[in-house]
């Protein structure tokens, strides 16, 4: 039985897994991305946009899957997993490059004198013990004068002279000197108090500038003051539909009234928060003052007036 025709018709339904294009696709398996740098076929693009996009996307996904199935796999509870290689696409940094660390006093001196930095080993050879010992720390080489059983005493030494105590004090003095130099390097690397204070003043000045109605546009500039950038006011359009705005406010007030009735348990009474309504209608500007005026409070223009008003 000849089944070649059946196999050929079945294979015609599926496209080849090999994607051939004029410019090979750039597949970055590490990021699971495919870049197609081939020019767009205008005729196919204009005739059937959807089909052209699907064909282009299919070629890219097929190239990605082909590269994935060629990677080594590891066994897991969910099945074999492919081990992705390191990405090859260089992405831009999210944050700026860190500033270089300031040089220490010794590093500046060494660079000026041309002294090369050499890393000393942590262990040194001890001729007396015929073994490698630590340069410092526990059983360190720097404590050998404190542990030797005999020491030379100077002729003009005091009767209470202790060579072990003298060696220990010298070692502790070197440690204290190194710590003092380290703290000095940290202090020089830290921002100065004057710079921090200057930055705080600039921030406070910028905040006060944008607190005026003109956003600091007509304020008097100080000597050496930096120009503020990116601060703009937003205004409503000149041809705004006042009818729609008023209806929106009334609709919101009606919803507030119904909710207040439901909470207070007085379904039939006319319950309305006047201060809240005036505040909402005025857009949050002067709502409290208008609320006092509407309620006939002190300083308002009510029926009886406030203190010093007309009767």
């Amino acid at each position: 039985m000849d089944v070649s025709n059946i196999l050929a018709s079945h294979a015609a339904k599926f496209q080849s897994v090999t994607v051939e294009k004029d410019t090979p696709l750039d597949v970055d398996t590490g990021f699971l991305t495919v870049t197609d740098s081939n020019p767009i076929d205008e005729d196919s693009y204009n005739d059937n946009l959807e089909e052209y996009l699907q064909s282009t996307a299919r070629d890219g996904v097929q190239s990605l899957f082909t590269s994935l199935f060629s990677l080594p796999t590891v066994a897991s509870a969910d099945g074999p997993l492919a081990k992705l290689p390191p990405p090859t696409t260089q992405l831009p940094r999210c944050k700026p490059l860190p500033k270089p660390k300031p040089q220490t006093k010794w590093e500046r001196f060494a660079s000026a004198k041309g002294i090369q930095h050499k890393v000393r080993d942590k262990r040194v050879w001890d001729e007396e013990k015929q073994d490698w010992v630590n340069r410092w720390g526990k059983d360190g080489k720097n404590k050998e004068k404190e542990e030797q059983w005999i020491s030379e005493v100077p002729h003009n030494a005091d009767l209470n002279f202790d060579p072990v105590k003298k060696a220990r004090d010298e070692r502790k003095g070197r440690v204290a000197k190194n710590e003092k130099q380290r703290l000095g390097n940290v202090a020089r690397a830290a921002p100065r108090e004057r710079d921090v204070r200057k930055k705080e003043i600039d921030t406070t000045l910028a905040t006060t500038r944008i607190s005026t109605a003109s956003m600091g546009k007509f304020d008097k500039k100080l000597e050496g003051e930096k120009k503020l950038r990116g601060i703009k006011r937003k205004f409503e359009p000149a041809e705004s539909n006042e009818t729609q705005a008023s209806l929106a406010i009334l609709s919101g007030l009606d919803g507030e009234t119904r909710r207040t009735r439901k909470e207070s348990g007085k379904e039939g009474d006319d319950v309305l928060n006047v201060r809240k309504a005036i505040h909402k209608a005025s857009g949050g500007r002067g709502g409290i003052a208008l609320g006092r005026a509407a309620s006939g409070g002190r300083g308002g223009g009510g029926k009886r007036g406030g203190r010093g008003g007309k009767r």
Side-chain angles (χ1 to χ4, degrees):
M1 180 178 180
D2 188 9
V3 295
S4 59
N5 294 333
I6 299 176
L7 295 176
S9 61
H10 182 73
K13 298 179 181 179
F14 304 96
Q15 299 184 19
S16 174
V17 296
T18 304
V19 179
E20 297 181 358
K21 290 196 172 187
D22 297 337
T23 303
L25 300 179
D26 184 12
V27 181
D28 189 351
T29 314
F31 282 146
L32 300 178
T33 57
V34 180
T35 304
D36 188 357
S37 57
N38 290 279
I40 298 176
D41 188 359
E42 296 184 2
D43 297 336
S44 302
Y45 185 85
N46 295 328
D47 292 344
N48 193 336
L49 175 61
E50 190 68 23
E51 182 179 354
Y52 179 78
L53 294 178
Q54 289 182 0
S55 176
T56 305
R58 181 263 165 195
D59 293 341
V61 174
Q62 180 62 60
S63 301
L64 179 60
F65 272 88
T66 302
S67 61
L68 287 176
F69 277 97
S70 63
L71 297 175
T73 59
V74 293
S76 68
D78 299 329
L81 299 178
K83 297 178 64 177
L84 298 180
T88 58
T89 305
Q90 298 294 331
L91 298 179
R93 289 179 58 90
C94 177
K95 296 182 180 180
L97 291 173
K99 296 181 180 180
K101 189 177 180 180
Q103 291 184 331
T104 63
K105 187 176 181 180
W106 164 252
E107 289 175 347
R108 292 197 302 269
F109 174 78
S111 60
K113 297 296 183 179
I115 301 175
Q116 299 294 332
H117 177 67
K118 295 181 180 179
V119 180
R120 297 191 299 177
D121 296 332
K122 294 183 179 180
R123 298 178 67 85
V124 294
W125 179 258
D126 192 345
E127 293 292 343
E128 296 182 0
K129 298 180 180 180
Q130 291 296 310
D131 192 11
W132 293 95
V133 297
N134 296 328
R135 187 183 294 272
W136 54 80
K138 182 179 180 181
D139 301 330
K141 184 73 172 177
N142 58 342
K143 298 180 182 178
E144 60 179 0
K145 292 184 179 181
E146 303 175 22
E147 299 175 355
Q148 59 187 6
W149 62 277
I150 186 172
S151 301
E152 183 179 358
V153 179
H155 295 288
N156 56 351
D158 189 66
L159 293 177
N160 298 326
F161 176 77
D162 187 357
V164 177
K165 182 178 182 301
K166 179 183 178 182
R168 185 184 300 110
D169 293 342
E170 290 178 354
R171 179 176 58 84
K172 291 185 177 181
R174 291 193 296 268
V175 173
K177 180 182 177 182
N178 293 336
E179 180 64 17
K180 182 180 179 180
Q181 291 178 347
R182 187 189 69 84
L183 295 177
N185 294 330
V186 172
R188 282 189 292 270
R192 296 182 300 176
E193 183 179 358
R194 179 181 177 183
D195 297 337
V196 175
R197 180 58 180 165
K198 183 176 182 299
K199 186 176 181 181
E200 293 178 354
I201 293 176
D202 292 341
T203 304
T204 305
L205 181 61
T207 305
T208 56
R209 287 299 188 200
I210 63 176
S211 63
T212 58
S214 62
M215 306 294 284
K217 183 177 181 181
F218 302 104
D219 295 349
K220 184 179 179 181
K221 299 294 186 294
L222 302 177
E223 183 179 356
E225 180 183 354
K226 296 180 180 179
K227 183 179 179 181
L228 300 179
R229 297 180 298 174
I231 301 175
K232 295 183 180 180
R233 294 189 64 187
K234 294 183 179 181
F235 298 92
E236 295 294 334
E239 299 178 357
S240 61
N241 193 341
E242 297 183 2
T243 304
Q244 296 295 334
S246 301
L247 290 176
I249 294 175
L250 292 176
S251 177
L253 294 178
D254 183 57
E256 291 288 339
T257 302
R258 293 178 180 179
R259 183 161 54 253
T260 307
R261 287 176 179 176
K262 187 175 181 180
E263 292 175 355
S264 61
K266 300 178 180 180
E267 296 289 344
D269 298 339
D270 188 9
V271 180
L272 178 62
N273 191 333
V274 179
R275 294 183 60 184
K276 192 171 185 180
I278 296 176
H279 182 76
K280 192 168 185 178
S282 62
R285 298 182 299 272
I288 298 177
L290 290 173
R292 290 176 177 174
S295 60
R298 183 178 299 175
K303 198 170 184 180
R304 298 179 59 86
R307 182 179 298 176
K310 295 181 179 181
R311 295 185 179 273

